[in-house]
Amino acid sequence: MDKPSPGLVRSHCVGTTAVVYASDYLNKLTGEKIERECRRQLDCGCRALVIDFSDTQLVNSIGISILLGIIDVAERNGARVVFSEVNDQTVELFEMLGLTRHVVLAKDEHEALLNLSHYETTPTVH
Amino acid sequence: MEPSTQKLIHTFGALADLGQEIAGTGDFTEMVRTSLHLLLGTLALRRGAVAECIDEGSLRCVAVWGLGDELLSGWTIAETEKHQLLDAEAKECLVRYSDKSFISRNFDGLSNSGIELVLPMIVRGDVTGLVLLGGKASGEEFSNADFETIKAMTRHIGVGIHTHRLLEQVAQRAEENRRLYEELRAIYRDTVRAFAAAIDIKDKYTQGHSERVGRYSEIIAQEMGWSEQEVEGIQIAGYLHDIGKLIVDRDIINAPYHIDAKRSSDLNRHPAAGYEILSPINHPYADIPLMAKYHHERLDGRGYPDGLTDEQIPMGAKIVSLADAFDAMTTDRPYRRRRSFEDVVRDLRENSGKQFDGKVVTAFARAILKEVNGEAKKRPITKMLGKGYLEGENVRGLLTDLISELESRSRGAAAQTVTS
């Protein structure tokens, strides 16, 4: 796993999927770092993003807005987004606000990658 | 947790964050950007923008999220359109239903950008800008509660922008005032210098004396660690120290020989007369009249006009006194040539503690030594004294000896004070 430099977001790649780790409190500062990292990974050719919330206790309004921005950018790039290891309280928040209409929630990183591998092997229907 | 309860907590959290953001003193654009994030994140809106009304109805995009930066480029809003939005309900500002001129006129641009709602930012009954919002990530329609939340947050953002703009104006005016004050100070200094030159014209043998006393005083005060404001003040005091000579007969001032007691008494009135002239003026620096009044006082009480002793004499007057005496010793007078530097240093040594304050003499000697040693960026003293005056072989030694002797005396005096 890549070790982040101070002030950088932890992330690593599995094939064409980037796994990005959110911090304990997803606010403006940390949210913007995650957004930048996701954009960077998409620019580098990643076709899917897994945002891991295993360390995340709380997501505030700015965090929601930034996550929606990431979803938007990913959709424009034809990439899928999976949120993994989201705690119950945050799951409720995502469901209430409708984020779950745009992303898949996975129990953990492994499940997220499995989900995406299934998607990759599913032939595109024209 | 009930969804409605969780939604309330989420909204309250956002409102609290918004209040904090708007009350902050950070960067304006960042404040608006963060406020927009808070508004979008509260209801999970996928895109939005905040624009402010600028000159002649133009709109300027201050923050944008999920939309192209070119949004609103070249867009305007007429006064009548502002009035329509001012009175409109939030529901009437939904892009797909609105008959408000600004919205219907820009329907294509708004729809193509995914904007669903355009709300005015209203501050004191005036539309100061617009908030443009996309749809909810949930795909649901805006509820009445959503409209209330959006309206409340839009008001907050509007007030925040207005307040920041006001603060910017205040800062701009403060900066203008500062510049004006600087200009006034420069005019004041130039006027005083011109006045100093006028004083010196009266005395054909000491032209430039007041200017030099001002500069020497400034240099000494700087060396003594005075503040910039205090240094400027003492420079002014130096320029004006002899202003009382304006009332002394020109023949007395220009007498080419030592004057008699009567004439000397007339001449000695000039410090008190200077005080009388300078006192009614509201100077931007402290104690200038007193420095003029006491620049002929001596530490031993044998000076004039009041025969003050050491601690009774303001430090500024002590500085001007030394600067005045130094210039008198180092310039030609009608009845003698200027004295050698060695002679001047001897005088300073002998009269430190009697006529001059040792600390002031030490500071001046240090300033001269810095110039002699090439440690000073500029060499104003050397320049005022003229070429060659400070170039003797023993100048450095004279100054070093003077400084160490005066420091030694000062240490001795301090030790004596502690013992007694």
Side-chain angles (χ1 to χ4, degrees), chain A residues 28 32 61 65 72 75 102, chain B residues 30 33-34 37 46 65 137:
Chain A
K28 186 177 161 201
E32 284 181 342
S61 289
S65 178
D72 226 28
E75 283 179 1
H102 305 273
Chain B
E30 201 51 36
R33 202 165 153 259
T34 306
H37 269 314
R46 296 192 64 168
W65 187 247

Side-chain angles (χ1 to χ4, degrees), chain B residues 290-308:
Chain B
L290 283 177
M291 293 188 221
K293 184 177 184 180
Y294 295 135
H295 77 272
H296 279 296
E297 295 290 356
R298 296 167 53 103
L299 268 64
D300 57 13
R302 291 172 54 220
Y304 59 94
D306 293 344
L308 302 180

Side-chain angles (χ1 to χ4, degrees), chain B residues 147-192:
Chain B
F147 282 131
E148 289 307 316
T149 303
I150 293 170
K151 273 166 63 182
M153 295 184 89
T154 300
R155 267 199 303 273
H156 265 66
I157 297 169
V159 170
I161 291 176
H162 186 69
T163 307
H164 272 254
R165 288 296 181 222
L166 282 179
L167 286 173
E168 274 178 1
Q169 281 174 13
V170 169
Q172 201 177 350
R173 285 191 189 145
E175 175 59 20
E176 278 169 21
N177 282 344
R178 193 194 62 75
R179 272 205 302 271
L180 277 173
Y181 176 65
E182 283 297 320
E183 281 172 24
L184 280 174
R185 268 168 55 168
I187 290 167
Y188 173 82
R189 270 199 305 273
D190 290 348
T191 307
V192 167

Side-chain angles (χ1 to χ4, degrees), chain B residues 240-358:
Chain B
L240 296 174
H241 76 285
D242 269 347
I243 196 168
K245 281 188 178 172
L246 290 173
I247 61 136
V248 179
D249 194 330
R250 186 184 286 262
D251 292 341
I252 297 174
I253 294 172
N254 286 324
Y257 43 77
H258 285 289
I259 50 179
D260 60 30
K262 161 77 177 66
R263 288 180 159 202
S264 181
S265 166
D266 281 350
L267 184 61
N268 291 356
R269 280 172 48 220
H270 83 269
Y275 179 78
E276 296 300 320
I277 294 168
L278 294 171
S279 289
I281 300 167
N282 189 15
H283 299 275
Y285 310 100
D287 297 340
I288 286 178
L290 283 177
M291 293 188 221
K293 184 177 184 180
Y294 295 135
H295 77 272
H296 279 296
E297 295 290 356
R298 296 167 53 103
L299 268 64
D300 57 13
R302 291 172 54 220
Y304 59 94
D306 293 344
L308 302 180
T309 53
D310 190 358
E311 287 176 4
Q312 294 174 309
I313 307 168
M315 186 53 82
K318 291 176 178 175
I319 292 173
V320 176
S321 168
L322 175 65
D324 184 36
F326 182 80
D327 188 63
M329 289 188 274
T330 54
T331 48
D332 293 337
R333 290 291 152 122
Y335 42 87
R336 61 154 174 80
R337 301 281 299 164
R338 73 170 170 175
R339 292 159 70 177
S340 69
F341 189 66
E342 189 173 356
D343 199 15
V344 171
V345 169
R346 189 181 307 118
D347 192 299
L348 295 179
R349 177 183 286 113
E350 283 172 5
N351 286 302
S352 284
K354 297 176 192 165
Q355 182 179 353
F356 309 119
D357 187 309

Side-chain angles (χ1 to χ4, degrees), chain B residues 69-273:
Chain B
D69 288 336
E70 71 286 353
L71 182 79
L72 298 176
S73 173
W75 287 28
T76 57
I77 181 164
E79 282 304 312
T80 48
E81 291 176 328
K82 283 187 191 175
H83 283 296
Q84 281 186 350
L85 291 174
L86 198 61
D87 301 329
E89 291 290 321
K91 277 180 193 168
E92 296 176 285
C93 296
L94 281 166
V95 172
R96 89 186 81 142
Y97 305 123
S98 185
D99 61 354
K100 303 300 168 198
S101 167
F102 176 79
I103 298 173
S104 53
R105 179 164 72 80
N106 294 299
F107 181 81
D108 289 345
L110 293 166
S111 298
N112 293 340
S113 303
I115 299 296
E116 295 192 7
L117 184 65
V118 177
L119 276 182
M121 287 190 292
I122 301 168
V123 181
R124 291 182 185 165
D126 189 24
V127 176
T128 58
L130 300 174
V131 168
L132 299 90
L133 300 171
K136 292 167 74 173
S138 63
E140 297 163 357
E141 296 286 325
F142 290 110
S143 67
N144 286 336
D146 292 339
F147 282 131
E148 289 307 316
T149 303
I150 293 170
K151 273 166 63 182
M153 295 184 89
T154 300
R155 267 199 303 273
H156 265 66
I157 297 169
V159 170
I161 291 176
H162 186 69
T163 307
H164 272 254
R165 288 296 181 222
L166 282 179
L167 286 173
E168 274 178 1
Q169 281 174 13
V170 169
Q172 201 177 350
R173 285 191 189 145
E175 175 59 20
E176 278 169 21
N177 282 344
R178 193 194 62 75
R179 272 205 302 271
L180 277 173
Y181 176 65
E182 283 297 320
E183 281 172 24
L184 280 174
R185 268 168 55 168
I187 290 167
Y188 173 82
R189 270 199 305 273
D190 290 348
T191 307
V192 167
R193 285 178 73 174
F195 214 75
I199 297 163
D200 292 343
I201 280 170
K202 202 170 178 189
D203 183 347
K204 65 180 179 184
Y205 294 103
T206 60
Q207 282 184 14
H209 168 71
S210 298
E211 169 95 24
R212 289 191 298 274
V213 172
R215 292 287 285 127
Y216 288 138
S217 300
E218 177 196 0
I219 291 161
I220 297 167
Q222 267 171 346
E223 188 63 35
M224 291 177 79
W226 284 26
S227 70
E228 193 182 342
Q229 173 87 359
E230 290 168 332
V231 169
E232 278 183 20
I234 193 106
Q235 186 182 26
I236 299 294
Y239 288 153
L240 296 174
H241 76 285
D242 269 347
I243 196 168
K245 281 188 178 172
L246 290 173
I247 61 136
V248 179
D249 194 330
R250 186 184 286 262
D251 292 341
I252 297 174
I253 294 172
N254 286 324
Y257 43 77
H258 285 289
I259 50 179
D260 60 30
K262 161 77 177 66
R263 288 180 159 202
S264 181
S265 166
D266 281 350
L267 184 61
N268 291 356
R269 280 172 48 220
H270 83 269

